[in-house]
Every structure is written in C-alpha cells, then in structure tokens.
C-alpha cells in the first residue's frame, strides 16, 4: 500500500510523554513548527466554562518571567516569523512558520511558554476583552448563529453542544476566572497531552536533540477531564432561529455519527457519502443549485472528531418559501442512499479526488502541518492519517449504504434560520 | 525567493507565454490568465458587468460542456479554476497535478476561449451576486462592509468607487448581451497576460501560447482616468445598521505604488504601525493588547481585500491607485469614538515624530525575513510575478526589490516618506454602527470620549487614556453623513 504523505516521517516520544513528529521535505528554507495540545472546547465539561480553551489560547501569548510578552513578540519579530494559533473542538494548535535557521530560537521560545507560562491578573482581564471582541465579530455572521443553535439542540450533555467560542454569558464572565486559568494550564498543558509537529528541510536527529534539551524537563501530569457520554438520541429535533438582520434562509441538518476511527468502515464511508450525496457532482447539487437554482450553497461532511460528533448537511436557500421543498429533496436523497448502494463507477472519481486533493494541499511545510494537525490530535499520529486514506481506498458501495444508516430521522437535528423579511 | 520570470521566446512574432516560473521537481502546475479589464470599466448604471463576465468564464458552461459536465470532469482531479475580478484586471487561476494535465488543460482553456454564455448560468450567477450584496455584505460582514464603504468614499465619483462585485441595481441592469459585448471587446490577445509555474514542460508552454492566437487580436485597452478628490479634512460616513456593534475603517488616497522606493520606505512605517494580523503591530498593541477593546487593529498601504480571511497579502489585485487604510475591528459602540481617537493619535505620533532608529532596525529586520512568507507556494510566486507585469517590474520583481531595499533604507528615508505621504489631520472615516445618531452627535461635538473598563487597568494606561479621550478630532457637522444599511451599494 503506497503512503499518502510523499515524504518520510519520523515519530518519537520523550520520557515525559511529549510526542515529536517530523516530516522532512523540500521547503525553500522554511520550517513549520506546530505545538498541538489535545484539548479544545470538547474538554469544557464544567458549567460556566464554555469558550475557555479558546480564551486560554489567547493567554498563551502573554509571556513568561524569562520572556515577557513584549520580549517574546520582539524575538519573533526579529526573525520575521509568521506565528499564530487556533482552537477547535478537539485541539488547540500553536503554529510558527520561520526560516529554517531560526528553528532553535523558536524551540526555545515555545518550550519556555509551554513550561513556564506566567501572566498577571490584569493581563488576563484585558485579554478577556479581546476575546469578547472576537465574539462580536463572529456573531454578525448568521451561519455562526445557526451553528450555535444547532449544536446546542443536538447535544444534551456532551460539550460538543457549545461552539468553540463558547456562550456569550460565559465570555462576559471570563475576567473573573484568573485562578481557574492557572488550574486549566496545570491540568491540560502537559507533555503527555501535547504533540510537536515539525515540517520542512530539517535534520530529524538534530531537531530531536534540540527538543529533548528544551522540553525534557517539562513535568508530565495530564489529568483527563470526565467528559460525559452523550446518550443515544431517540427522536428527531428541530430548532428555528430568527436572525436579526437580512439573510438568505439557512438549513442545517446535523446527524449523530461515530467518532473518528479509520478502522470503522461505516464511519470512513460516511466521508464519501457526504460528497456522493451532496457534493458538486451529486444529483441533489445539480437539481437544487444548477437546475432549480433555489439553493445558493450546498455541502455536507463530518469532522474527524474524538468523540461521536455530527454529520452536517448545509444549504443556503434563495427563497424562504422553498425551505420545505429543499428539506424534501435532502430527505429524498438520504432515503435513496439508505435504500440502495451507489453505482460502483461513482466511487473511482471520488477516491481519485480524495488522493489528489490531499496531495495538492501539501504545498508548504505549514500546509502539511495544517492538514495533519487534526489527525495528530484525534488519531494520535500520522499513522491514523495513512490508515484513513488506505481505508478510503477500500470503501465499497455497500459500505456507503451502511453509512447512510447514520442519517436516520431519530438521529437528526434540523436547524432553520430565517432573517427579517 | 526569486519571483522574477524568465521568458522563453519561440519564433519571432509567435505568441508566447509571458511569465514562466519553472520548478521542475514540483508535482503540480499553476496557471494564471489575466485580462486587462475590471470593474473600473463598468458603464455607469451597469456596475457589476465585469464581475458577471468573469464569473461567466469561470463558473458557467463552455461551448463544449455544460457547467455540471465541467464539475464532473474536474471532480476526480481535485482541481478547479477560479476567477478574481478586481478594479483593473480579471484573472483566471488554476492548479492541477502534473499527472492530470491532459484532462485539465482543455477545461481551463475552453473557459476563456469558448464561454457559452448560457442564460441559465447567467441567472444563477447574477442572483447569487445580488444576494452577496443585499444579504451577506450588508448584514453578515460588518467589517467588510465598513471597508467597502471606505473604498467607495475615498474613490467617490471615480470608476474605482463601486466594489468589484458591482452594486445591486447595476447587477440587475446587466444583460447577457452586455456580457457578450464586453468579452468580445476586452478578452483579446492584446489584453491578455499568461503565466505558468511549477512542473510544466515545453509542450504545455506551446499549448498555452497558442491560446493567445485563438483569442481575437483586439486593441490594447485604455484604462479610464481615476482621480480621487483630495481629502482635506475629516469626513465621516456612518452606515446605520440597527443592532450592530461598531466596525471602523479610515484612510485616504495614496500616490505611491510598489516598485517605487517610497513604497518600501512606507512599508516599514506601515508594518510598525499596523502589520496585518501581527501582534507586533503598534495599533494592535495600543487598542487590543493593552486595552482589550477588540480583536485586532491594522493598517495598509495597498488594497487588502478579505483581510479577515487571509494572513498574507492578496495577489491578482494590482491597482494604479492605492489608499492608506486603517482597520479597527469590531468593538462596542460606546468605545468607537475612543478607539478612533487612539488610532489617529498613534498615526499622528508616527507622522510628527517619525520612527526611532531602534523601531526602524527591528521592523526592517522583521520585514526582511517576513516577506518570505508572502510567497511560500509556487502559485503565490506566480501571482506576484503576474502582478509585477502589471506594475512594470520585469527583471527585478517586487519581492526581490522589497528585500534589497530593506538593506538600503535608512530611518531618515522612512521618516521622510512618512512626512511626504501620510497625514493624521484629515481622513475619510467609514463606520458601520448600531448607534449612528449618538455617534454622529459625539463626533460633531468633539467632546472628550472617556471609556470605562470592566476591570482595573494599570496607571500608565489610564494616564494615556486621558490624552486619547481628548485627542483633537475636529469634524464639521456638514462632514458627517448617515446612510441606512439598506442603501449601501444599492446603486
């Protein structure tokens, strides 16, 4: 079986549990250095703490005693690095892209903040304002508003029931949670909950020695959060959202689906089903977008989630009077796929697309790391990514039909957002 | 990091590919086909004609295939092509794996050689374009709305005023015959620049060159005159959007373009003041980092569309006319006046005091390396090389010039360029806000605009706040306009 990543990969673990994955590749003198923490909004199981993983990502830029925020920033500025971070449901990623000769500087800086983060209560409170600003910016988008409502309706107990941004009331209350933020750092920012991903023209042995030197004394001690298991959904759910502004209506169907697992044939086939049923070459797309022209945007898919998550179908509808018709067409499409497997010849172009799409996305060290980050966090390494693409190749029409069983009415939450007329 | 293009000429007079960036080891090939036609060429009352014409090439049927057949054919290749219609240019770009060239190239070349201009496609694309303005831009993207409003405000009365996507009424007025006519007139051999990058071979170069001969010859385009009215005071446009927080953009025309020495000098000052999506940005430090008022604060000396979605500058938006622009991201309405003063005060300090040697040294060191991130991929390098053609920077391209000039500039060069081109006592200001009346009154009164924080702030911040809240921002009552959001880009 040929591998999907066309470069050699190296994986090691330090004694403290820190995993180090390296992808040596030609890169025009640039290296990408990613620190991936396997904690995201999924881990916010405590009431009043939604959005905290994302907020904490902001605090990670507030410095240490040795490198206060302005010094940290100054060094990154001197070396012309492109540094940022993001938080999602299952992970938080800190990424730096820089000239390869500056790698050791970056390793020293990053290891210091992961081991010794230290900020004042005043800094903490100020950053809460910036996070609120990010929320303000996001909430003008009706898609964000609907997403918030759909996940909240879909989950009864699992933290996937709130967005990564968190609830507004919790964001407003963040400035008071300084002590909790130290606790959060102590619980989750540990080597045994973190993977380093390094891509570029690197010498793996040399990098590993540098990592050992700078991270070897980082104390393990990850405490896994008690994430409640979501009970099986018994009946269809529906949520209608009124958007305070003008927008095209949006229809969002979310079905409960298994967690990411390359060994779960049905779950793997669901990724193909999404595109077969609702992608740009599907019957539904042709009908709703191109022929009837009543849908402006249609897509579907399921994130590779650590816990059982959602298979989403998303449509922006051009005419509020046609919402029910669009739902009927989507239902009909699902029924057809549950009833009969797709023609075998439809799978070959899909598999080709998956493979070429992946290869086309490996343009730079940073894009390699970006593609791999979720699988590193959720699947615990690049082997999961290789296993996933090998499994895609083995998907049969029967697997696709089995996957359509996920799309049963009792597993569904329908969200419909309408704007002001 | 060389972005210079070497050219391969065939027989004398034979068509040729204009920009070639060979990277033999690269498994993919990037394409760029750029026409000298853009939204500045839209006839009055038909704003959006160039945009729809571009879409009719990239997202519609050709003479050989319906659009769904095109999607079907591109699907297994995981490739596509897309169009960027800007003020001056319409650019088709695409990328595919070398293994798929035989299947991909005919699809791409048909898009600009044999568009079908099918009525069904036209209706679909037009209704989507109108929706983008009437729903998305007006109601779902306050920051982009403020930026588009600022551009319209700064270039008022010129062919640059309306967004490249047109206006709602303009789009509705465009007919399929208008599209056909524009295509015939402007999508010609005389107006096209073709670029190839990555792992291509000579046969592909020949094929792409031949497509020039398959376009009508045409005459070179004469771009329209664009002369924005000089800004000589503070002028304000408030977009009244009930329920909205405040999103602010301000700026004025800037007569400096990439390639000129002053551009690179200004790039240093601008990077220090407001490097896009960078914590080193001074505006970011003052407004977000120290005060937590919003998510980010940046400044620009070139057009930077979709700033919220990209970390690096865009390609394929080359323009003869640029503007200096400051972007203050969404914040509570009650902080808008203060944040605007804070940004103008920092700009004033830059203009009056200039950069210190230390600030200059650090920013120059940063840019010398950071500019490498502008073109990390071959397709981005191709985009820069195509833009170099527009700006007449063949030979030494913009990015090479950038790096070289960093080595040559002095702090005095930067400060003189700032003194020549930047002002802090005048600007056009566009604000999307849910408190238009209150803000209009506050701006006209010019009274101090203190803010209260939910949490304690250090004494030095509070001390500086006293200065910021009183920072002179003289705005005449007749220089403030309020526009209901429903009227934004209506016509």
């Amino acid at each position: 079986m040929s591998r999907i990543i066309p470069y050699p990969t190296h994986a090691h673990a330090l004694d403290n549990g820190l995993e180090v994955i390296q992808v040596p590749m030609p890169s025009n003198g640039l290296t990408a250095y990613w620190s991936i923490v396997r904690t995201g909004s999924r881990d916010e199981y405590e009431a009043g703490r939604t959005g905290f993983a994302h907020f904490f990502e902001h605090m990670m830029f507030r410095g240490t005693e040795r490198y206060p925020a302005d010094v940290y920033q100054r060094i990154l500025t001197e070396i012309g690095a492109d540094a940022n971070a993001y938080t999602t449901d299952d992970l938080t990623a800190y990424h730096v892209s820089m000239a390869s000769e500056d790698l050791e500087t970056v390793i020293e800086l990053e290891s210091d903040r992961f081991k010794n983060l230290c900020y004042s209560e005043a800094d903490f409170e100020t950053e809460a304002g910036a996070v609120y600003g990010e929320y303000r910016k996001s909430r003008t988008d009706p898609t964000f508003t609907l997403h918030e409502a759909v996940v909240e309706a879909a989950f009864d107990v699992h933290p996937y029931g709130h967005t990564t941004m968190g609830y507004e009331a919790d964001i407003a209350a963040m400035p008071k949670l300084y002590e909790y933020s130290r606790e959060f750092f102590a619980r989750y920012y540990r080597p045994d909950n973190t993977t380093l991903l390094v891509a570029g023209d690197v010498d793996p042995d040399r990098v590993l020695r540098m990592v050992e030197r700078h991270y070897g004394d980082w104390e393990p001690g990850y405490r896994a959060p008690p994430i409640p298991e979501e009970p099986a959904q018994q009946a269809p759910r529906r949520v209608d959202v009124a958007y305070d502004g003008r927008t095209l209506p949006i229809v969002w169907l979310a079905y409960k689906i298994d967690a990411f697992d390359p060994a779960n044939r049905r779950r793997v086939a669901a990724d193909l089903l999404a595109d077969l049923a609702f992608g740009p070459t599907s019957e539904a797309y042709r009908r709703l977008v191109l022929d009837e022209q009543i849908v402006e945007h249609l897509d579907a898919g399921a994130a590779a989630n650590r816990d059982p998550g959602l298979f989403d179908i998303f449509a922006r509808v051009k005419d509020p009077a046609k919402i029910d018709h669009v739902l009927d067409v989507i239902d009909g499409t699902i029924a057809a796929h549950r009833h009969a497997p797709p023609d075998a010849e439809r799978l070959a172009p899909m598999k080709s697309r998956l493979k070429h799409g992946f290869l086309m996305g490996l343009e730079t060290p940073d894009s390699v790391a970006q593609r791999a980050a979720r699988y590193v966090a959720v699947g615990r390494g690049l082997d999961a990514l290789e296993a996933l693409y090998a499994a895609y190749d083995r998907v049969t029409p029967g697997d696709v039909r089995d996957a359509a069983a996920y799309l049963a009415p009792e597993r569904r939450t329908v969200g419909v957002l309408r704007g002001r007329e | 990091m060389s972005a210079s293009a070497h050219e391969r000429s065939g027989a004398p007079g034979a068509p040729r590919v204009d920009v070639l960036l060979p990277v033999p080891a690269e498994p993919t090939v990037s394409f760029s086909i750029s026409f000298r036609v853009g939204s500045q060429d839209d006839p009055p009352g038909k704003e959006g004609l160039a945009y729809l014409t571009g879409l009719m090439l990239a997202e519609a049927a050709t003479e050989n295939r319906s659009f769904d057949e095109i999607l079907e054919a591109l699907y297994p290749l995981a490739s596509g092509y897309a169009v960027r219609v800007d003020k001056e240019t319409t650019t088709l770009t695409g990328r595919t794996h070398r293994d798929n060239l035989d299947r991909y190239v005919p699809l791409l070349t048909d898009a600009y050689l044999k568009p079908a201009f099918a009525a069904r496609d036209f209706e679909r694309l037009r209704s989507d374009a109108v929706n983008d303005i009437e729903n998305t831009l007006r109601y779902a993207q306050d920051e982009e709305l403020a930026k588009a409003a600022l551009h319209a405000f700064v270039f008022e009365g010129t062919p640059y005023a309306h967004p490249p996507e047109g206006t709602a009424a303009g789009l509705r007025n465009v007919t399929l015959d208008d599209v056909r006519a524009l295509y015939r007139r402007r999508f010609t051999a005389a107006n096209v620049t073709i670029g190839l990058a990555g792992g291509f071979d000579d046969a592909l170069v020949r094929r792409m060159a031949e497509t020039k001969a398959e376009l009508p010859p045409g005459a070179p385009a004469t771009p329209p005159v664009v002369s924005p009215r000089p800004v000589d005071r503070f002028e304000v446009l408030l977009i009244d959007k009930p329920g909205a927080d405040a999103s602010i953009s301000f700026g004025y025309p800037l007569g400096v373009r990439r390639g000129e020495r002053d551009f690179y000098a200004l790039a240093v000052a601008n990077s220090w003041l407001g490097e896009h999506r960078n914590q080193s940005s001074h505006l970011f430090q003052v407004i977000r980092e120290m005060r937590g008022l919003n998510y980010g604060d940046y400044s620009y000396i070139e057009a930077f569309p979709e700033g919220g979605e990209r970390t690096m500058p865009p390609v394929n938006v080359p323009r003869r006319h640029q503007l200096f622009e400051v972007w203050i991201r969404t914040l509570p309405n009650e902080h808008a006046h203060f944040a605007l003063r804070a940004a103008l005060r920092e700009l004033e300090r830059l203009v009056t005091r200039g950069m210190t040697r230390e600030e200059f040294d650090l920013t120059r060191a940063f840019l010398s390396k950071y500019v490498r991130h502008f073109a990390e991929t071959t397709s981005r390098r191709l985009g820069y090389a195509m833009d170099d053609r527009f700006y007449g920077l063949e030979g030494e391209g913009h990015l090479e010039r950038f790096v070289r000039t960093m080595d040559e500039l002095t702090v005095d060069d930067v400060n003189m360029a700032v003194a020549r081109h930047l002002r802090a006592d005048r600007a056009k200001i566009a604000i999307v806000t849910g408190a238009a009346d209150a803000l209009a009154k506050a701006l006209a009164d010019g009274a101090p605009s203190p803010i209260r924080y939910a949490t304690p702030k250090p004494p030095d911040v509070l001390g500086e706040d006293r200065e910021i809240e009183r920072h002179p921002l003289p705005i005449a009552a007749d220089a403030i306009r309020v526009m209901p959001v429903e009227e934004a880009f209506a016509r």
Side-chain angles (χ1 to χ4, degrees):
Chain A
M1 169 64 212
S2 68
R3 298 170 66 255
I4 186 76
I5 299 177
Y7 308 110
T9 57
H10 303 256
H12 300 274
L14 270 49
D15 291 344
N16 58 11
L18 179 71
E19 291 172 3
V20 188
I21 296 172
Q22 299 190 61
V23 185
M25 62 180 280
S27 66
N28 291 321
L30 290 169
T31 293
Y33 187 84
W34 283 55
S35 310
I36 300 163
V37 181
R38 283 184 295 279
T39 292
S41 50
R42 162 201 179 265
D43 301 82
E44 296 157 354
Y45 65 94
E46 296 144 295
R49 301 290 186 268
T50 69
F52 211 87
H54 169 244
F55 179 29
F56 200 81
E57 172 224 310
H58 283 242
M59 293 319 299
M60 282 292 290
F61 288 87
R62 287 291 183 165
T64 66
E65 280 180 12
R66 187 165 167 209
Y67 297 113
D70 55 336
V71 179
Y72 173 88
Q73 193 50 54
R74 189 191 168 90
I75 296 171
L76 283 184
T77 301
E78 278 167 354
I79 62 173
D82 174 22
N84 214 323
Y86 63 83
T87 309
T88 71
D89 44 16
D90 292 331
L91 66 131
T92 308
Y94 299 84
H95 49 96
V96 188
S97 169
M98 69 269 156
S100 300
E101 68 259 26
D102 297 316
L103 178 60
E104 182 142 25
T105 304
V106 168
I107 288 179
E108 178 170 342
L109 277 180
E110 294 297 87
S111 62
D112 177 60
R113 68 170 170 157
F114 274 79
K115 290 187 297 193
N116 307 314
L117 183 72
C118 172
Y119 45 80
S120 69
E121 198 154 357
D123 277 354
F124 177 84
E125 291 168 351
T126 299
E127 197 57 39
V131 173
Y132 208 158
E134 192 173 356
Y135 182 85
R136 284 174 200 283
K137 159 187 86 71
S138 303
R139 74 172 169 200
T140 65
D141 181 351
T143 305
F144 176 84
T145 307
L146 181 58
H147 183 226
E148 228 177 14
V150 167
V151 296
E152 187 167 11
F155 290 96
D156 296 332
V157 298
H158 193 284
Y160 285 160
H162 60 262
T163 67
T164 299
M165 198 65 86
Y167 295 127
E168 186 171 8
D170 293 351
I171 297 170
M174 276 175 184
K176 302 182 189 67
L177 297 177
Y178 178 73
E179 286 307 323
Y180 178 77
S181 76
R182 303 304 304 165
E183 165 72 11
F184 192 91
F185 182 62
R187 268 188 215 169
Y188 301 135
Y189 279 67
R190 295 288 187 172
D192 37 345
N193 192 39
T194 305
T195 301
L196 301 178
L197 182 56
V198 191
D201 52 1
V202 291
D203 169 354
D205 293 338
R206 189 172 155 266
V207 171
L208 192 59
R209 282 196 301 275
M210 285 194 267
V211 167
E212 279 170 339
R213 196 162 54 242
H214 290 284
Y215 289 90
D217 60 345
W218 188 11
E219 287 285 320
Y222 169 65
R223 281 171 277 162
I227 304 299
E229 195 172 334
E230 181 71 19
Q233 190 176 326
Q234 304 295 343
R237 301 174 182 186
R238 165 136 184 174
V239 54
D240 285 272
V241 179
Y243 176 71
D244 188 22
R246 281 192 46 175
T247 174
L248 292 184
I250 304 173
V251 172
W252 192 316
L253 292 81
Y255 292 85
K256 295 284 169 48
I257 191 169
D258 291 333
F260 170 79
D261 177 4
N264 177 344
R265 290 176 71 119
R266 194 157 75 113
R267 176 62 189 82
V268 170
D271 290 347
L272 273 68
L273 168 67
D275 233 27
L276 275 171
F278 301 104
T281 59
S282 66
E283 193 51 45
Y285 185 92
R286 188 168 307 164
R287 183 172 166 187
L288 293 172
V289 179
L290 300 180
D291 293 346
E292 296 178 12
Q293 299 190 7
I294 54 175
V295 165
E296 184 234 25
H297 180 92
L298 176 71
D299 69 33
N305 275 127
R306 184 167 172 175
D307 298 330
L310 297 172
F311 179 106
D312 297 309
I313 303 164
F314 177 98
R316 252 196 312 271
V317 185
K318 291 189 184 186
D319 176 357
K322 295 283 205 285
I323 291 173
D324 288 339
H325 172 66
V326 170
L327 287 169
D328 286 347
V329 173
I330 291 173
D331 277 339
T333 303
I334 291 168
H337 281 89
R338 292 184 68 185
H339 177 71
D343 292 340
E345 67 262 24
R346 286 208 62 201
L347 292 188
M350 292 210 59
K351 292 175 182 181
S352 163
R353 178 183 178 83
L354 282 164
K355 187 180 92 181
H356 281 111
F358 186 85
L359 289 174
M360 298 262 294
L362 305 180
E363 278 192 290
T364 64
D366 205 54
S367 58
V368 169
Q370 200 168 352
R371 287 236 144 187
R374 177 169 280 273
Y375 300 99
V376 164
V378 174
R380 302 303 299 263
L382 295 180
D383 288 353
L385 183 65
E386 294 292 347
L388 175 67
Y389 276 81
Y392 282 150
D393 244 8
R394 291 191 298 265
V395 168
T396 65
D399 294 335
V400 175
R401 186 192 49 201
D402 293 347
Y406 285 126
L407 310 187
E410 69 274 11
R411 305 171 70 94
R412 162 158 111 179
T413 301
V414 176
V416 176
L417 175 139
R418 287 183 176 81
R420 283 203 312 259
E421 292 299 312
Chain B
M1 206 195 74
S2 163
S4 70
H6 84 272
E7 300 188 3
R8 226 176 287 193
S9 48
R16 60 184 198 183
V17 170
D18 306 280
V19 176
L20 290 169
L21 297 179
V23 187
E26 184 133 341
T28 68
V29 179
S30 300
F31 298 78
S32 180
I33 299 97
S34 189
F35 293 91
R36 283 299 284 268
V37 58
S39 59
Q40 66 180 5
D41 302 299
D42 290 341
K46 298 204 185 239
E47 293 81 5
L49 170 58
Y51 181 65
L52 286 176
T53 307
L55 291 180
M56 288 299 287
L57 305 190
E59 297 180 31
T62 62
E63 288 168 14
N64 290 324
R65 286 181 187 82
S66 64
F67 186 55
D68 53 333
E69 287 169 338
I70 292 170
L71 291 175
E72 193 88 44
L74 287 167
Y75 187 81
L77 317 184
S79 307
Y81 44 83
V83 73
R84 157 76 75 170
V85 179
D86 196 55
K87 310 273 185 198
E88 307 254 1
T89 54
T90 296
T91 309
L92 271 173
T93 55
R95 189 166 71 95
T96 195
H97 198 277
R98 205 157 44 186
D99 296 351
N100 298 326
L101 284 167
D102 289 351
R103 287 189 287 172
Y104 177 81
V105 173
L107 296 164
L108 173 70
T109 54
D110 276 359
Y112 60 98
L113 296 175
K114 298 179 178 174
F117 298 125
R120 287 295 287 155
D121 288 330
F122 181 66
E123 289 312 318
R124 169 175 55 88
L125 293 167
R126 181 181 25 209
S127 86
D128 289 352
V130 170
N131 274 322
D132 279 344
I133 290 172
E134 292 189 338
N135 293 304
T136 311
L137 184 61
R138 284 183 194 161
Y139 293 96
Q141 299 176 330
D142 291 0
E143 295 177 330
E144 289 301 315
L145 177 59
K147 281 191 265 185
L150 175 69
H151 282 236
F153 197 14
V154 167
F155 290 102
E156 216 167 11
T158 78
Y160 262 41
H162 61 278
E165 297 79 10
T167 64
L171 286 161
R172 287 192 172 99
N173 286 337
V174 172
T175 67
L176 201 45
D177 283 341
D178 295 331
V179 170
R180 284 195 191 95
L182 184 71
Y183 175 76
R184 270 198 309 273
R185 209 167 55 244
R186 300 296 291 273
F187 288 73
T188 61
N191 283 332
V192 73
T193 304
I194 297 182
L196 271 179
F200 56 82
D201 60 11
D202 287 348
L204 183 60
V205 176
R206 276 196 302 278
R207 173 61 201 129
M208 293 308 291
E210 283 165 5
T211 65
K212 271 196 187 178
E214 294 168 38
L215 287 163
T222 312
V225 173
V226 175
S227 49
R229 186 172 59 77
V231 177
D232 52 13
R233 60 177 183 163
F234 286 113
E235 297 178 57
V236 181
L237 173 63
L238 298 170
I239 307 240
D240 182 6
K241 185 184 159 189
D245 295 312
S247 302
I248 307 174
S249 285
F250 68 83
Y252 39 75
L254 184 67
V256 186
R257 290 191 311 184
R258 64 170 68 168
E260 298 168 20
R261 198 175 172 82
D262 264 9
F263 178 92
Y264 303 105
L266 279 184
V268 177
N270 181 68
S271 178
W272 176 84
L273 180 69
E275 182 71 43
H276 176 72
R277 301 294 300 275
N278 223 285
Q279 297 201 324
S280 63
S281 148
H282 197 67
L283 292 170
F284 183 103
Q285 288 291 328
V286 169
I287 300 173
R288 170 180 157 169
E289 198 80 357
M290 286 153 67
R291 292 176 173 79
L293 297 185
N294 68 352
Y295 185 50
D297 307 275
Y298 312 107
S299 64
Y300 306 89
I301 55 173
E302 276 189 318
F304 205 108
E306 300 108 27
E309 294 163 33
R310 61 173 76 246
T311 53
M312 293 297 154
V315 292
N316 303 320
V317 288
R319 296 183 185 182
R320 290 174 296 146
H321 299 271
Q322 294 290 0
L323 73 169
F324 171 74
E325 184 177 0
V326 170
W327 177 27
I328 300 172
R329 302 197 73 164
T330 310
L331 34 65
N333 289 305
E334 59 269 24
H335 294 167
H337 199 177
F338 180 91
L340 180 59
R341 279 180 150 141
L344 282 162
R345 180 170 168 268
E346 291 309 319
L347 178 59
E348 181 179 85
R349 288 156 69 103
L350 174 64
V351 170
T352 54
R353 302 176 189 189
M355 292 178 76
T356 64
R357 178 169 302 282
E358 191 191 6
E359 288 164 347
F360 166 76
D361 286 341
L362 177 62
T363 309
R364 179 172 67 162
F366 165 75
L367 280 175
S368 298
K369 281 190 157 179
Y370 192 70
V371 73
R372 294 167 75 154
H373 302 295
F374 287 9
E376 289 188 9
T377 66
T378 300
S379 57
R380 296 262 310 162
R381 285 176 55 219
L382 178 60
Y384 270 100
M386 295 290 285
D387 289 345
D388 284 342
R389 298 276 302 197
F390 179 94
Y391 288 106
L393 302 179
E394 286 98 13
E396 186 185 38
H398 167 59
L399 294 177
E400 289 165 294
R401 244 168 238 255
F402 208 124
V403 173
R404 173 177 61 81
T405 314
M406 287 303 117
D407 289 341
E408 298 170 357
L409 285 172
T410 65
V411 66
D412 292 339
D413 292 337
V414 171
N415 289 336
M416 285 192 297
V418 167
R420 270 196 292 276
H421 301 291
L422 300 186
R423 305 288 303 249
D425 60 351
R426 61 197 61 187
K428 289 192 167 178
I429 302 163
I431 309 179
V432 173
T433 172
D437 292 344
L439 197 50
K441 185 176 177 315
L443 291 170
D445 289 349
S449 49
I451 61 168
R452 277 214 302 277
Y453 299 99
T455 56
K457 285 283 174 290
D460 57 327
V461 170
L462 296 173
E464 193 179 40
D465 280 3
R466 299 287 161 274
E467 293 177 31
I468 293 172
E469 71 195 31
R470 289 179 170 73
H471 182 75
L473 178 52
I475 302 174
D478 71 341
I480 301 176
R481 231 188 307 169
V482 178
M483 177 193 280
V485 68
E486 298 78 26
E487 291 175 19
F489 309 112
R491 53 191 61 259

